[in-house]
């Protein structure tokens, strides 16, 4: 994604100015001086910018913005998935919020305001390129929460485990069928069996199990 606009959605003037300065240096260094930098002071203004369809990097402090809830935030990120990449830049984010947003979206990155400058630059650089970045601190929080939760063992067959791994990699049924030299009907049967055994109704929930069970490395999945 070629970013043409950076939207700074942060109501702390000093932080917003610092983010703007870093963004200007990064875009200037990358000879991408045509990138526009704008400010949004509330969810409505942010929505107006996003509706214009300009490929945008959104730098937002969720804790200072007027989103109704985490579902509302994730919905906006998903709605403009093709034209926006997001960086959650906050002082603190709860483990449950991190889990929800990172599982439910594909275009949201995370960093913290108290991170060293080189980490902030790296996070901004990723988002400006339209790529995902998850700060190590956020990864550690997620991993610790995963380790603290009891996990029920579910008896999946070897084939079901392989299909589940493919699902976590974002592969669609036709692609999995082709790679395994199987029919689409066979893969759909495996998917139904996996969902039934895991007591889930969506690929998102199946992926959560795969991560908790250690079938997929969490760091590789996110970065």
């Amino acid at each position: 994604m070629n970013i043409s606009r950076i939207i700074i959605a942060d109501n702390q003037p000093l932080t917003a100015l610092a983010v703007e300065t870093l963004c200007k240096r990064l875009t200037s260094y990358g000879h991408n001086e045509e990138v526009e930098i704008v400010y949004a002071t509330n969810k409505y203004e942010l929505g107006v910018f996003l509706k214009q369809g300009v490929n945008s990097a959104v730098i937002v402090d969720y804790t200072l913005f007027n989103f109704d809830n985490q579902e509302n935030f994730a919905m906006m990120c998903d709605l403009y998935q093709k034209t926006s990449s997001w960086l959650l830049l906050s002082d603190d984010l709860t483990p449950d919020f991190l889990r929800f947003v990172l599982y439910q979206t594909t275009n949201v990155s995370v960093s913290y305001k108290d991170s060293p400058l080189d980490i902030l630059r790296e996070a901004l650089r990723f988002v400006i390129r339209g790529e995902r970045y998850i700060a190590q601190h956020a990864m550690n929080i997620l991993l610790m929460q995963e380790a603290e939760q009891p996990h029920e063992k579910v008896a999946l067959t070897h084939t079901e485990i392989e299909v589940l791994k493919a699902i976590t990699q974002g592969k669609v049924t036709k692609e999995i069928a082709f790679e395994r030299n199987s029919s689409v009907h066979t893969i759909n049967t495996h998917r139904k069996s996996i969902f039934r055994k895991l007591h889930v109704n969506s690929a998102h929930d199946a992926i959560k199990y795969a991560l908790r069970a250690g079938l997929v490395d969490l760091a590789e999945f996110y970065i």
Side-chain angles (χ1 to χ4, degrees), residues 103-118:
Y103 277 128
Q104 298 298 327
T105 66
T106 59
N107 58 337
V108 176
S109 299
V110 177
S111 191
Y112 295 89
K113 291 183 176 180
D114 60 354
S115 299
L117 270 179
D118 59 333

Side-chain angles (χ1 to χ4, degrees), residues 4-141:
S4 300
R5 174 184 287 167
I6 296 172
I7 305 173
I8 300 175
D10 191 310
N11 292 318
Q12 289 182 328
L14 187 59
T15 302
L17 179 60
V19 170
E20 179 181 1
T21 301
L22 286 172
C23 288
K24 283 182 176 179
R25 290 179 180 176
L26 289 172
T27 54
S28 176
Y29 178 78
H31 305 291
N32 194 8
E33 299 179 9
E34 295 181 1
V35 173
E36 176 189 20
I37 299 179
V38 298
Y39 283 86
T41 60
N42 54 55
K43 187 178 68 173
Y44 173 78
E45 291 181 1
L46 178 56
V48 170
F49 283 127
L50 292 171
K51 287 176 183 177
Q52 293 173 0
V54 178
N55 288 348
S56 302
V58 183
I59 319 300
V60 59
D61 187 336
Y62 174 86
T63 59
L64 296 179
F65 236 56
N66 63 330
F67 289 102
D68 299 326
N69 49 52
Q70 60 191 24
E71 289 83 2
N72 183 261
F73 173 75
M75 188 180 301
M76 179 173 278
C77 296
D78 187 60
L79 182 61
Y80 299 101
Q81 180 178 349
K82 293 183 179 179
T83 57
S84 67
S85 61
W86 297 65
L87 174 61
L88 278 168
L89 188 60
S90 299
D91 290 316
D92 190 31
L93 297 167
T94 67
D96 288 340
F97 174 82
L98 281 173
R99 282 174 55 82
F100 178 85
V101 171
L102 294 179
Y103 277 128
Q104 298 298 327
T105 66
T106 59
N107 58 337
V108 176
S109 299
V110 177
S111 191
Y112 295 89
K113 291 183 176 180
D114 60 354
S115 299
L117 270 179
D118 59 333
I119 298 297
L120 292 174
R121 290 193 191 97
E122 185 178 24
L124 289 168
R125 194 177 294 115
F126 268 68
V127 175
I128 291 172
R129 292 201 304 257
E131 301 176 12
R132 196 174 209 188
Y133 179 90
I134 310 297
Q136 187 61 49
H137 179 56
M139 292 293 298
N140 290 340
I141 290 174

Side-chain angles (χ1 to χ4, degrees), residues 95-96 99 103 138-152 208-214 216 218:
D96 288 340
R99 282 174 55 82
Y103 277 128
M139 292 293 298
N140 290 340
I141 290 174
L142 290 169
L143 290 168
M144 287 177 62
Q145 190 182 53
E146 292 287 351
E148 291 171 358
Q149 292 182 350
H151 302 141
E152 180 184 354
K208 290 178 186 178
Y209 173 85
L211 291 167
R212 288 196 302 266
V216 179
L218 189 60

Side-chain angles (χ1 to χ4, degrees), residues 151-162:
H151 302 141
E152 180 184 354
K153 289 287 186 179
V154 177
L156 297 179
T157 67
H158 175 74
T159 300
E160 288 169 346
I161 291 174
E162 293 302 312

